[in-house]
């Protein structure tokens, strides 16, 4: 197994784990699936305020949010009503190699950051399988990622996530507040229109 470059409280980062060819192959698998499961604008519960990122999902379950029903996982795309496309094989292989978890991921959330899109501090907490880590794969422009502790008021640190970087939120970091402050435009040529795609793989239900 690949040795992580850093390991602090369950946050692991493998910088440049995917070389350019691997990034292009994964990008193409993602774009192909977006034809069947297009990006949509997620909306915050209650307020209905649009999020800054556009989203879709791959795999048996997908994370969605809208004004009426809020945050949840569901097996179908909210706009097409069809099942989500399957997970890119490379993403599944990374989960098997790096997660240390004895069951398959069920959701691959796709976030597209364009322009000044960012994501506020939050904890991923809609999964029943709390013992499973979240595996994150970055493609395209570099993100200024922020991660803190279990309380919103805990100190945070900033980590650059570049194209091809893979990171894992496990252990204490699984319950840590995290978000994306901003994207650095022009730092990668992987995506034809620029911006950043982040894939996060999650186990949702308790296995067995
Ligand atoms: C997320 O927390 O869902 C996304 C994190 C990222 O874009 O790196
Ligand atoms: Fe998250």
């Amino acid at each position: 197994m690949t040795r992580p470059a850093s390991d602090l409280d369950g946050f692991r980062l493998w910088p440049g784990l995917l070389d350019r060819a691997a990034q292009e192959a994964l990008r193409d698998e993602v774009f192909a699936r977006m034809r069947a499961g297009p990006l949509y604008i997620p909306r915050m519960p209650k307020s209905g305020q649009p999020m800054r990122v556009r989203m879709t999902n791959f795999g048996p379950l997908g994370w969605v949010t809208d004004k009426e029903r809020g945050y949840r996982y569901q097996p179908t795309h909210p706009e097409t009503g069809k099942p989500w496309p399957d997970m890119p094989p490379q993403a599944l292989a990374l989960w098997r190699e790096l997660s240390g978890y004895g069951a398959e991921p069920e959701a691959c959330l796709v976030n597209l950051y364009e322009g000044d899109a960012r994501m506020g501090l939050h904890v991923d907490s809609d999964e029943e399988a709390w013992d499973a880590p979240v595996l994150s794969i970055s493609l395209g422009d570099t993100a200024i990622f922020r991660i803190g502790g279990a309380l919103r008021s805990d100190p945070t640190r900033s980590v650059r996530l570049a194209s091809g970087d893979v990171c894992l939120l496990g252990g204490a970091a699984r319950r840590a507040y995290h978000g994306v402050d901003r994207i650095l435009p022009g730092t990668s040529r992987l995506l034809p229109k620029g911006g950043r795609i982040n894939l996060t793989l999650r186990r949702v239900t308790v296995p067995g």
Side-chain angles (χ1 to χ4, degrees):
M1 176 164 133
T2 317
R3 182 176 282 270
S6 68
D7 186 355
L8 185 65
D9 298 334
F11 177 76
R12 292 174 163 197
L13 173 63
W14 292 269
L17 184 63
L18 303 183
D19 65 16
R20 176 71 191 203
Q23 292 170 40
E24 289 174 356
L26 181 54
R27 172 201 64 194
D28 293 347
E29 295 276 357
V30 167
F31 283 170
R33 283 165 176 75
M34 278 176 182
R35 288 200 280 273
L39 292 161
Y40 76 99
I41 298 173
R43 292 180 180 274
M44 300 299 282
K46 298 195 177 83
S47 73
Q49 193 189 347
M51 293 180 69
R52 308 256 190 139
V53 298
R54 287 195 290 155
M55 290 184 176
T56 189
N57 288 268
F58 305 142
L61 290 173
W63 187 88
V64 298
T65 175
D66 56 28
K67 178 176 161 69
E68 293 77 19
R69 294 173 61 201
Y71 302 158
R72 65 196 186 272
Y73 282 92
Q74 65 180 42
T76 52
H77 191 289
E79 293 182 350
T80 68
K82 288 194 227 153
W84 304 104
D86 65 348
M87 274 188 218
Q90 303 96 320
L92 203 51
L94 285 168
W95 173 274
R96 290 176 181 155
E97 185 191 356
L98 302 176
S99 74
Y101 196 69
E104 298 284 61
E106 294 172 301
C108 173
L109 173 64
V110 183
N111 292 318
L112 173 68
Y113 297 80
E114 294 169 301
D116 61 358
R118 53 192 169 79
M119 188 175 289
L121 280 183
H122 67 277
V123 178
D124 294 358
S125 59
D126 300 311
E127 303 76 24
E128 292 157 20
W130 266 104
D131 57 327
V134 171
L135 185 75
S136 155
I137 307 165
S138 293
L139 295 173
D141 286 340
T142 297
I144 308 293
F145 179 75
R146 182 165 296 282
I147 182 161
L151 301 178
R152 192 179 278 279
S153 55
D154 283 341
T156 63
R157 66 195 173 106
S158 166
V159 180
R160 280 182 183 227
L161 296 179
S163 197
D165 289 0
V166 177
C167 70
L168 189 77
L169 275 68
R174 177 66 180 80
R175 290 166 170 74
Y177 276 86
H178 62 277
V180 172
D181 291 348
R182 62 197 178 96
I183 306 299
L184 304 179
T187 44
S188 164
R189 297 168 68 124
L190 186 72
L191 306 181
K193 295 179 190 160
R196 171 178 184 255
I197 289 176
N198 175 254
L199 307 177
T200 47
L201 278 69
R202 299 105 184 272
R203 176 74 198 190
V204 180
T205 65
V206 176

